[in-house]
Amino acid sequence: MIIEHAGYLPGVDADLVAWQANLYGPEGDQISVLLPVLLERQVVQLIGHVREQARLKLKSRPLGQIIDAIDLTISRLLDRQDPYRRRMDHLLPIITGYDREMVRLGLTSYLKTFRKPQLQRFLAEDFTNPTILDSFQPLPKGGLGRAFGPKILTHVWAGNVPGLPLWSLVAGLLVKAGNIGKVPTAEPMFASWFSQLFAEVAPELADCLAVVWWQGGDEVSETAVLKESDLVLGYGQNESLAAIQSRLPVTKRFLAFGHKVSIAMVSAEALNASKVSATARLVAYDVARYDQQGCYAPHMVFVEHGGSVLPKRFAQYLAYELAVFEEKFPLRPLSLAEASGIVSWRNMEEMIPGGQVFFADTGSWAVSYQTEESFLPSCLNRTIRVIGIDALTKVPAILAPFSDLLQTAGIAAPPEELVTLANSLGEVGVTRIAAIGDMTSPEAGWHHDGRFNLLDLVKITEIDGRAEGAADQLASYDD
Amino acid sequence: MLILALTSRPDLFKCGAGILNLSEVTADLLSFIKADMTNDIEFDRIALQQFAFQFAHNKPFAKFARARGKTPRTVTSWTDIPAVPISAFKALEMTCCRPSEAEALFMTSGTTSSLSRGKIYHHSLSVYDASMRSNFSKRFMGGVERMQMGILYPTIEKMPNSSLAYYLNLAKRDFGKPDSSHLIGEVGIDFDRLIADLVRAETTRQPYALLGASFSLVHALDGLKERGFSVNLPTGSRILDTGGFKGQSRELTPNEFYNSLSNIFNVPRSHCINMYGMTELSTQFYDNGNTDSPSVKSGPCWANSRVVNPLTGADVPKGVSGVLVHTDLAHINIVTTILTEDIGIETDDGFILLGRAAGTEAKGCSMAVDEFLTATRSIES
């Protein structure tokens, strides 16, 4: 059986660490992942080490060198023959259950968004002059400013979508923070491998990040880590986020990224005979990719009446395209609870007056067509609700009560409509408008949940404009 | 060819189904319950008869079955009868009679994920009563006609739509001695009364039966422990618990729970019976005591259980976990076959219940339905 060590623990004697073995994958193809179980003392030692090493080696390093180190790591991971990439391609499908090809293709297109030019764009998105992370730079208001990342930035990741931790980990490195990442049990390896490889590629920065694990709900470990952190990024459901917040002193900052709901919208123009198949295929792709587990995947599609294909007919086109994707990228094996959830959802949808559900005999996808204009998430795992609607302009009002939960809206509509809709969707809380088919692959530098990925992490130390003048008076050359 | 054409004429078939009336279907079933003999052929015959009856009279069910290509013509064995997911009872009036004609309406408790409560209409409770009595007598009473009973659950007057309150009321009425009593008052368990009853049973050496929700029994255990009370109930005493803890009490493992019961009441684990019942059914399942946990549960000959893959409905092999489907012939006014959200494993003598399948969390960062409902409730409030 393949055994992998999760975590990355610089400065901690690996022989003194206890490991918990977790099995992943179906019987016959199982792998064992050893998860580090740290004592409170080891947590403190680890964080102390990372804090000190980041201070010594990261804070004064020019940003360009950090970008180069990340770029080099990513280029290794893009090389399909690289031993780390081969492990990812081989083992991530076993750990998560996602289809092998889907993971392989998904990783490549995802990793491509972390190359040097994309990282520079990422920086430019938040800082007019990114060198503000290296040294004091003139500020428009006068005076000078320099951006400092937190000494210790802790990431509490969640979920099993491969690669997601990379967003925040890269952001943490770019702002020169010492990074402590906590991996979820559902997928503990991606961030571990990335960090191990990063250490190999850039040994001078090897001690500036660490990857840890603790059992969800383990208050002792969580509290120990939180106490040592300056800024915490948390992902997951509101309940877990609230628990983190309750354990953080009020002086520490906490940025919470809760679970979100995304939707798609298809205008009548995308429903003529020559475009409908392509439209349905793109929506199906957004549904099938990682089985809707990403927060940018659609739960429901609002489909406009008035095209040459009726919304109900569109639901059938979508069903057909999902069946095609099932051939290409089969649904991951579901737990009994998930399977039960689908049956229950399908049934509820069927019972709504005017509702009709199209589904696979194997249960691997389901499309529910509804006429009632309401907002209710699907139960994921390739289940989607198609809602026929007179005009897409009515959608924002339906979304409005759920403002806090919204993220992406995928839109298939002509240009003027796209902008009009974007305005009213933004007003009700949607933070990202994407083309259908692109919903699940945000571009480099996107504003996750509408926030600034880097700017939110730093504090600006500014030199008041008058301080320069005052200092001048004390200079040796002062007359 | 001519014959084929004739038999596929729906109007002719309808005539066939029209012959069935409620009293006929009921009579066949009652004699099957009375005989209480495993008879696969008779089970199949009654199940198909009931399916035809329910297909003809339960409109939402007929629509559900038709959408799956299941009609009295295509269903040839009880295992072909489409299983109705329990969530259907929340959305639809799954009944063969008009709701206004029903003698009783039982409602499911509104658990976290439910949008509303499931409604189960009983045209007449005579079948429910017959099923309950025959089964209860055999599986719980152990050959004794009546026992003094303590019921740790509210009365049917307090909870008129609770099938469990009705069940426990029936147990007390038909199997309890006259001094049996409900022990839940306005402010929870009436400990003075409970302790007095237990002491009396101990002194008179008359077997005593304590029945109630599993979480009520935990509250009773905790309360008695607090008072430093334990009792040596006489041989033949029994305890029935049902429904699990549901977050209403501490969560105990089966071993902790049954050990505590046997320590405080001196009732051996072999006489601690767990009943598995559902509002969505008219028949209950019991184990033969909890000497070993988890115990094996089974129903009477008029209720068969299968373990299936919920998505395909296909049986999973013995020993593999799946979702439980029950075919309950006593559920006459509703549907015979329901798809539960309970996970189980089939064994040689029945099934092992592993817990509930509902309440899944999202694997990724997308929101799960349950979480959405919780979140929107907080928005509304």
Side-chain angles (χ1 to χ4, degrees):
Chain A
M1 188 188 286
I2 294 175
I3 299 173
E4 282 286 338
H5 278 78
Y8 171 65
L9 311 166
V12 174
D13 188 345
D15 294 338
L16 299 178
V17 173
W19 300 88
Q20 177 182 319
N22 259 35
L23 292 179
Y24 294 83
E27 230 161 284
D29 198 16
Q30 276 182 324
I31 67 162
S32 172
V33 172
L34 298 177
L35 300 156
V37 183
L38 297 177
L39 302 170
E40 201 177 337
R41 168 173 63 76
Q42 289 169 320
V43 168
V44 175
Q45 183 194 353
L46 175 73
I47 299 182
H49 180 77
V50 170
R51 188 192 291 114
E52 180 60 10
Q53 292 298 310
R55 186 181 70 82
L56 291 173
K57 295 177 179 160
L58 201 52
K59 301 287 178 198
S60 56
R61 191 166 298 268
L63 193 54
Q65 288 183 22
I66 301 170
I67 293 176
D68 286 341
I70 299 169
D71 183 51
L72 197 54
T73 313
I74 295 293
S75 73
R76 287 273 305 267
L77 290 177
L78 280 166
D79 173 6
R80 299 229 164 89
Q81 299 313 315
D82 186 272
Y84 276 94
R85 177 58 193 261
R86 288 171 71 144
R87 274 146 90 193
M88 287 184 177
D89 284 345
H90 180 200
L91 301 177
L92 285 175
I94 298 176
I95 292 171
T96 60
Y98 292 121
D99 176 69
R100 193 161 288 282
E101 267 306 281
M102 188 162 77
V103 169
R104 190 178 69 81
L105 296 172
L107 273 183
T108 297
S109 67
Y110 179 67
L111 290 165
K112 276 181 355 198
T113 64
F114 291 94
R115 297 307 306 267
K116 188 170 179 173
Q118 285 73 26
L119 294 174
Q120 285 167 332
R121 199 163 299 146
F122 201 176
L123 283 157
E125 200 55 48
D126 282 16
F127 300 103
T128 346
N129 174 7
T131 49
I132 196 168
L133 286 158
D134 284 341
S135 57
F136 280 97
Q137 300 293 323
L139 296 175
K141 69 164 180 61
L144 300 163
R146 182 175 168 188
F148 288 96
K151 291 193 280 294
I152 288 293
L153 171 62
T154 293
H155 315 248
V156 182
W157 294 307
N160 73 349
V161 178
L164 284 188
L166 201 52
W167 280 113
S168 71
L169 190 53
V170 163
L173 289 169
L174 290 176
V175 300
K176 304 184 186 181
N179 289 277
I180 305 293
K182 187 263 174 187
V183 287
T185 314
E187 196 291 278
M189 286 314 303
F190 181 89
S192 304
W193 282 319
F194 177 85
S195 306
Q196 292 162 13
L197 177 60
F198 183 77
E200 212 176 292
V201 166
E204 68 284 5
L205 297 177
D207 291 343
C208 303
L209 75 172
V211 174
V212 297
W213 174 86
W214 61 80
Q215 188 75 54
D218 174 352
E219 288 184 28
V220 177
S221 305
E222 196 171 291
T223 310
V225 172
L226 295 180
K227 210 171 82 187
E228 299 289 323
S229 311
D230 301 295
L231 175 59
V232 178
L233 291 172
Y235 300 83
Q237 45 177 335
N238 286 341
E239 206 183 320
S240 337
L241 297 176
I244 294 177
Q245 187 145 44
S246 71
R247 280 178 214 137
L248 265 184
V250 71
T251 49
K252 314 266 183 178
R253 287 174 65 219
F254 176 49
L255 304 178
F257 293 90
H259 289 162
K260 292 284 186 280
V261 179
S262 295
I263 59 137
M265 297 162 78
V266 175
S267 75
E269 285 80 358
L271 294 172
N272 67 37
S274 66
K275 296 200 172 112
V276 63
S277 290
T279 307
R281 192 171 313 125
L282 291 168
V283 175
Y285 178 72
D286 285 336
V287 172
R289 197 151 182 262
Y290 295 128
D291 308 335
Q292 283 162 303
Q293 297 296 337
C295 45
Y296 31 50
H299 278 258
M300 56 206 111
V301 195
F302 292 93
V303 180
E304 200 170 42
H305 283 282
S308 53
V309 171
L310 292 176
K312 185 170 177 179
R313 190 90 181 100
F314 178 78
Q316 286 168 300
Y317 273 97
L318 184 54
Y320 170 77
E321 295 297 341
L322 283 170
V324 174
F325 272 111
E326 172 63 13
E327 295 278 317
K328 211 163 143 194
F329 306 126
L331 175 72
R332 115 197 111 82
L334 301 182
S335 71
L336 278 173
E338 289 170 314
S340 250
I342 290 183
V343 174
S344 170
W345 176 83
R346 234 160 52 185
N347 186 60
M348 292 299 278
E349 292 289 306
E350 209 176 344
M351 304 292 165
I352 299 171
Q356 192 173 350
V357 182
F358 309 96
F359 60 90
D361 289 340
T362 55
S364 52
W365 52 265
V367 180
S368 160
Y369 172 74
Q370 299 296 341
T371 51
E372 194 183 297
E373 295 162 4
S374 60
F375 183 93
L376 187 66
S378 88
C379 69
L380 310 179
N381 299 318
R382 307 194 188 182
T383 61
I384 181 112
R385 192 178 222 211
V386 170
I387 300 154
I389 195 161
D390 297 336
L392 291 185
T393 46
K394 288 169 76 180
V395 174
I398 298 170
L399 307 184
F402 309 98
S403 182
D404 293 345
L405 311 176
L406 302 172
Q407 195 204 63
T408 300
I411 299 185
E416 306 76 34
E417 208 181 340
L418 176 70
V419 176
T420 317
L421 285 172
N423 273 314
S424 40
L425 288 168
E427 269 173 41
V428 300
V430 170
T431 55
R432 174 171 170 253
I433 312 285
I436 54 165
D438 287 337
M439 290 182 72
T440 59
S441 49
E443 59 193 345
W446 76 303
H447 295 95
H448 183 190
D449 290 346
R451 295 301 316 172
F452 292 89
N453 296 309
L454 301 173
L455 213 47
D456 272 353
L457 302 182
V458 300
K459 275 185 188 168
I460 304 284
T461 296
E462 58 178 29
I463 303 177
D464 189 305
R466 290 162 298 186
E468 285 176 80
D472 264 345
Q473 291 171 20
L474 302 174
S476 56
Y477 50 77
D478 186 57
D479 300 325
Chain B
M1 286 309 278
L2 182 68
I3 297 167
L4 259 180
L6 270 177
T7 47
S8 62
R9 274 181 59 190
D11 52 343
L12 283 185
F13 172 74
K14 253 187 191 163
C15 286
I19 298 166
L20 288 171
N21 63 42
L22 184 60
S23 56
E24 259 176 280
V25 183
T26 310
D28 278 10
L29 172 68
L30 287 174
S31 48
F32 191 54
I33 292 179
K34 197 165 174 216
D36 195 11
M37 293 272 287
T38 304
N39 179 340
D40 294 343
I41 296 170
E42 186 63 358
F43 184 91
D44 208 33
R45 188 187 71 78
I46 298 179
L48 293 177
Q49 185 188 45
Q50 291 201 1
F51 174 61
F53 172 75
Q54 288 157 358
F55 189 85
H57 294 101
N58 183 339
K59 294 257 152 47
F61 174 58
K63 186 180 166 220
F64 173 86
R66 236 185 250 116
R68 282 152 184 77
K70 307 276 191 180
T71 68
R73 216 177 325 131
T74 61
V75 170
T76 54
S77 144
W78 68 272
T79 53
D80 292 342
I81 297 173
V84 176
I86 53 170
S87 52
F89 295 97
K90 290 180 188 141
L92 295 171
E93 316 253 281
M94 281 273 173
T95 165
C96 292
C97 69
R98 271 198 289 272
S100 58
E101 290 167 359
E103 180 185 340
L105 163 62
F106 291 150
M107 284 158 80
T108 57
S109 51
T111 47
T112 47
S113 64
S114 65
L115 291 170
S116 59
R117 298 171 70 186
K119 292 184 273 308
I120 292 89
Y121 295 94
H122 292 267
H123 182 251
S124 146
L125 283 167
S126 60
V127 177
Y128 183 101
D129 293 1
S131 165
M132 184 278 178
R133 274 200 291 260
S134 167
N135 204 14
F136 185 80
S137 151
K138 194 164 153 185
R139 302 298 294 271
F140 182 71
M141 294 301 287
V144 179
E145 260 183 45
R146 283 185 181 270
M147 254 192 274
Q148 192 197 339
M149 286 183 180
I151 309 288
L152 287 170
Y153 205 72
T155 61
I156 186 73
E157 290 75 27
K158 278 265 176 301
M159 297 180 77
N161 296 117
S162 158
S163 61
L164 180 57
Y166 181 79
Y167 165 95
L168 291 169
N169 209 56
L170 201 58
K172 182 177 145 226
R173 191 190 76 191
D174 292 356
F175 297 91
K177 287 191 170 168
D179 44 2
S180 299
S181 55
H182 276 84
L183 299 167
I184 303 257
E186 295 295 332
V187 287
I189 298 175
D190 181 349
F191 278 98
D192 295 341
R193 180 87 192 255
L194 172 63
I195 289 171
D197 283 1
L198 292 168
V199 169
R200 188 160 48 125
E202 189 180 22
T203 22
T204 58
R205 307 308 300 158
Q206 293 293 314
Y208 182 81
L210 190 59
L211 304 88
S214 312
F215 57 81
S216 310
L217 279 155
V218 175
H219 293 153
L221 283 172
D222 291 349
L224 292 176
K225 250 182 221 158
E226 242 171 62
R227 293 164 172 79
F229 180 88
S230 68
V231 62
N232 274 323
L233 284 176
T235 314
S237 297
R238 288 161 182 276
I239 295 174
L240 180 140
D241 79 286
T242 185
F245 308 118
K246 295 181 175 165
Q248 303 216 33
S249 72
R250 303 185 281 132
E251 296 279 325
L252 276 72
T253 65
N255 276 330
E256 289 167 344
F257 180 61
Y258 293 111
N259 283 341
S260 306
L261 286 179
S262 92
N263 287 341
I264 295 276
F265 299 107
N266 188 40
V267 173
R269 284 178 60 164
S270 60
H271 283 57
C272 295
I273 311 288
N274 176 263
M275 184 274 274
Y276 161 58
M278 304 173 73
T279 307
E280 295 90 343
L281 287 177
S282 295
T283 297
Q284 299 77 34
F285 302 85
Y286 298 90
D287 55 36
N288 295 320
N290 278 274
T291 312
D292 297 309
S293 295
S295 62
V296 174
K297 300 206 161 40
S298 56
C301 67
W302 59 91
N304 277 349
S305 303
R306 292 185 296 139
V307 179
V308 305
N309 171 337
L311 285 173
T312 60
D315 288 7
V316 300
K318 207 178 265 185
V320 174
S321 54
V323 170
L324 287 165
V325 167
H326 304 297
T327 299
D328 176 11
L329 301 185
H331 215 36
I332 204 157
N333 185 55
I334 302 106
V335 292
T336 56
T337 306
I338 66 158
L339 173 65
T340 69
E341 290 172 357
D342 297 324
I343 297 181
I345 293 184
E346 191 190 342
T347 67
D348 288 337
D349 333 304
F351 55 88
I352 293 172
L353 189 62
L354 296 179
R356 272 179 76 74
T360 53
E361 285 178 15
K363 290 257 188 228
C365 49
S366 190
M367 184 161 272
V369 178
D370 281 3
E371 195 192 352
F372 171 77
L373 294 173
T374 316
T376 47
R377 259 197 298 274
S378 67
I379 290 172
E380 282 158 15
S381 67

